[in-house]
Amino acid sequence: MAVGDARTDRPAGTAGYGEAAEQLAAQYEAVTFAEVHREALHLFPTRPADVLDIGAGSGRDAAALAALGHRVVAAEPTAELRRIGEHLHAAAGVRWVDDALPALPRLGAAGARFDVVLLTAVWMHLHPDERPPAMDALTRLLAPAGRLFLSLRHGPVPPGRRMYDAPAEETLALARAWGLRPVLHTERPDLHGRSDVHWTVLVLSDVNQR
C-alpha cells in the first residue's frame, strides 16, 4: 500500500479520526509543539537526532522537531490525517509512514532505531491487552540511551472514538517491566480548555542509561 492510499482495514484505535480529519488537524495546529511539550522540552536532544513520532496526526510535532535539525519519521495510520500533514508541512523534510501500534510492523521490519520516540495522545487508544506488545515494539525501536515521550489522556471518551483508561502507575509498571525508568512524571490541564480532561506527561529511558 502506498503512503496516502485509503485504508480498508483501519486500526481500531483510529475510529472517528478519518471522518473528522480536517477539524482535528485544525485543533492540533492551534497549539504549538512548545506549548504541548513544555514540561519536557529540556529532555529533547539538543544535537541532531533520529526521532519517531507515532500517531503524528497533522505533523505539528514532527515538523517542529525537523525544524530543530532532527531526522524525523512520522507514523500515522489515518490516511486522511497523513495527507493533511504531508500537505501542511511539505517543506519540513519529514518522512511519513503508514504504521500503527501495537505491532508497528513496517518500522519494526525496517530495523531502524530512534533516539526519541514520541507518543502524544496515543496510548489511551490501545486496549489494555494491546499495551504489553506495544511497549515491546517501542523498546525495540529505542536506540541505546533513547527516550520515550508519552502523554496520557484522562477524561470522558468523545462519541465515536475508541479510548481506554490509561493510569499513569499502570503505564510506569509496564515500562519498568521492559527496562525503562521515568525521567519525568508530571500532570497538566488540557490545553484546549476542557475542564473534564487532564493529562499525564511521562518521559522514559533505559534503566541502564543516564
Side-chain angles (χ1 to χ4, degrees), residues 18-29:
E19 300 87 339
E22 291 190 8
Q23 175 188 349
L24 289 168
Q27 176 182 314
Y28 301 155
E29 296 289 329

Side-chain angles (χ1 to χ4, degrees), residues 124-202:
M124 74 281 187
H125 291 302
L126 296 173
H127 186 277
D129 291 343
E130 295 175 308
R131 290 173 184 165
M135 188 65 73
D136 183 65
L138 293 169
T139 55
R140 291 176 185 274
L141 289 167
L142 274 179
R147 286 177 173 172
L148 175 60
F149 292 71
L150 299 95
S151 62
L152 311 178
R153 183 188 188 278
H154 311 290
V157 179
R161 304 285 174 78
R162 186 231 204 197
M163 296 182 186
Y164 302 95
D165 189 29
E169 289 308 319
E170 173 195 281
T171 307
L172 287 169
L174 185 61
R176 290 187 190 102
W178 261 265
L180 301 178
R181 65 174 177 88
V183 179
L184 176 71
H185 176 189
T186 189
E187 310 288 325
R188 66 166 172 81
D190 184 63
L191 292 180
H192 298 285
R194 295 170 292 195
S195 60
D196 55 353
V197 175
H198 69 282
W199 300 81
T200 299
V201 177
L202 300 175

Side-chain angles (χ1 to χ4, degrees), residues 49-94:
D50 293 306
V51 176
L52 171 61
D53 185 4
I54 299 173
S58 65
R60 175 202 62 212
D61 294 349
L65 287 162
L68 294 173
H70 301 304
R71 300 170 293 275
V72 183
V73 175
E76 175 51 57
T78 301
E80 295 88 344
L81 280 172
R82 199 166 58 248
R83 285 194 290 266
I84 290 171
E86 289 174 317
H87 173 73
L88 284 177
H89 303 291
V94 172

